[in-house]
Amino acid sequence: MPRIHGCDAFRVTMPRGRRPESVLVRLAGDDAVGWGEMAVQDGAGDPGAAWADIETRMGPALIGLDWDRPEDVSAAADLGAREAAAAVDTACWDLWCRTRGLPLAHALGGTRTSIVTGARISPEPAIDTVTARVNKAVGAGHTRVTLDVRPGWDVEPVRAIRQAYPALALVADAGHAYTESPEHLAALEALDAYGLAAIERPFPGGDLAAHARLQTRVGTAVAPDVGDLETLDAALSLQAGRALHLRLDRLGGLTAARSAHDLAYAAGWDVWCSGCGAFGIGQAAAVALAALPGCTLPSDVSDPAGGPVFVTPPVRSSGGVVGVPLTQPGLGHEIDEARIERLATRRLRLST
């Protein structure tokens, strides 16, 4: 088994463009290394607390740990669904698979050889701008689009997109912005007329009862925000939806995400997933996760074309499809460690 001798963490900033940041975790075993990624997003969590969690708790718990499978690490190191757990857990899976020569997708139980991709469209002031961006995504081969909606900016853009693309799988992500007021419920029910694949996160995440009530009023699958397995269990019991967006960062890594997939799949829910971070490692992990049989909707697993490349081959969509690496172990990509070192704004090294 790959005894962990070292844990390195890097806080890395993209060299150009919107300059996103990620915390990258590198675990060194006897004869292989594994990588994981956590996105540092504005307003999403506390990156300082996540870094401290790696430095003072997760990292030291990993050094010299006896383990047979990545699931053992998640339990022994008490990773939980914390912000940095996704990076640490993914790195454990990558290290374990590379040590054994196994593709990550196969180790997780994946059955697909390629992933059909989707794209996300943020709100724009003009509906014409939104439809133009959707047109660009469809032209690139994406077969599902997620549109961010808010009260007062929901029915009209959805109607415009549906008129332009009658067969497109369309998800409306409400970002917890709605309540059960008559006006908000009327808007959500109006969206039901446009053949959506899902209405995602309509209400605050803790209000599963509101999601359950909405699901009885609309034929469209409701997708509540799920950040841990306990919340998913409750959502399944309350019938608070019929779709699940697997977010690696929210669930704390591949171990919990796979369990969530299994529960949703058994319940007959539709599933899609997304990676985290802009450096390719989180996206590569999402590709392996999306290979699971229950991921029935196109997933957000590809890096934007034209940006800097940190993994080889890049995690890129070709005609709306990303191949699952099945001939190389682990994530199936080589990591540009030297470039990551150069771009790191903060470093941490723990070793035996």
Side-chain angles (χ1 to χ4, degrees):
M1 58 189 178
R3 181 178 291 271
I4 297 173
H5 297 296
C7 173
D8 300 302
F10 311 88
R11 185 163 175 173
V12 188
T13 301
M14 191 70 79
R16 65 174 184 269
R18 292 179 56 248
R19 299 186 65 78
E21 290 182 278
S22 283
V23 172
L24 307 182
V25 172
R26 177 186 184 274
L27 297 182
D30 294 325
D31 53 8
V33 298
W35 286 84
E37 179 173 7
M38 165 204 160
V40 177
Q41 300 173 349
D42 292 338
D46 182 354
W51 184 274
D53 207 14
I54 295 173
E55 182 175 17
T56 63
R57 195 183 61 81
M58 291 188 196
L62 292 169
I63 303 300
L65 180 68
D66 289 332
W67 57 300
D68 290 318
R69 291 189 54 84
E71 298 93 333
D72 302 333
V73 178
S74 182
D78 187 26
L79 298 185
R82 296 173 174 86
E83 298 167 21
V88 174
D89 183 69
T90 298
C92 289
W93 276 97
D94 187 30
L95 172 59
W96 188 83
C97 289
R98 289 182 190 270
T99 300
R100 283 158 177 75
L102 294 174
L104 176 58
H106 279 176
L108 291 171
T111 58
R112 304 178 193 277
T113 59
S114 61
I115 308 301
V116 180
T117 61
R120 175 174 289 274
I121 306 297
S122 59
E124 297 287 346
I127 291 178
D128 288 346
T129 304
V130 173
T131 54
R133 293 187 62 194
V134 172
N135 180 66
K136 184 177 180 180
V138 172
H142 299 300
T143 54
R144 193 217 78 244
V145 164
T146 294
L147 177 69
D148 288 343
V149 298
R150 298 293 182 270
W153 202 91
D154 39 34
V155 177
E156 291 303 317
V158 167
R159 178 188 295 122
I161 294 171
R162 179 54 75 217
Q163 288 176 346
Y165 302 98
L168 179 67
L170 184 59
V171 173
D173 183 359
H176 313 297
Y178 290 76
T179 68
E180 291 188 277
S181 69
E183 296 81 7
H184 286 187
L185 287 176
L188 292 170
E189 290 179 18
L191 292 176
D192 195 37
Y194 296 100
L196 301 181
I199 299 173
E200 185 181 0
R201 305 188 298 174
F203 305 117
D207 195 353
L208 292 176
H211 290 80
R213 288 189 288 268
L214 178 63
Q215 188 65 89
T216 65
R217 301 174 68 142
V218 298
T220 301
V222 174
D225 188 9
V226 172
D228 53 61
L229 296 178
E230 291 75 15
T231 299
L232 178 57
D233 279 332
L236 292 170
S237 298
L238 291 171
Q239 299 182 23
R242 294 201 313 270
L244 174 64
H245 181 183
L246 289 177
R247 300 170 183 260
L248 276 173
D249 50 348
R250 289 278 286 125
L251 286 162
L254 291 166
T255 300
R258 184 180 64 172
S259 296
H261 159 275
D262 294 347
L263 289 170
Y265 186 30
W269 284 28
D270 288 319
V271 179
W272 78 102
C273 70
S274 60
C276 54
F279 292 84
I281 297 169
Q283 299 298 337
V287 169
L289 183 65
L292 291 170
C295 292
T296 51
L297 292 175
S299 292
D300 300 320
V301 296
S302 59
D303 287 337
V309 174
F310 297 88
V311 300
T312 304
V315 187
R316 293 275 165 82
S317 170
S318 177
V321 175
V322 172
V324 178
L326 297 176
T327 60
Q328 299 296 323
L331 292 169
H333 301 263
E334 295 301 318
I335 313 301
D336 191 342
E337 298 189 30
R339 196 172 189 203
I340 289 170
E341 287 270 10
R342 290 196 303 271
L343 293 173
T345 59
R346 190 173 180 183
R347 298 174 179 84
L348 166 68
R349 174 157 294 175
L350 301 171
S351 61
T352 53

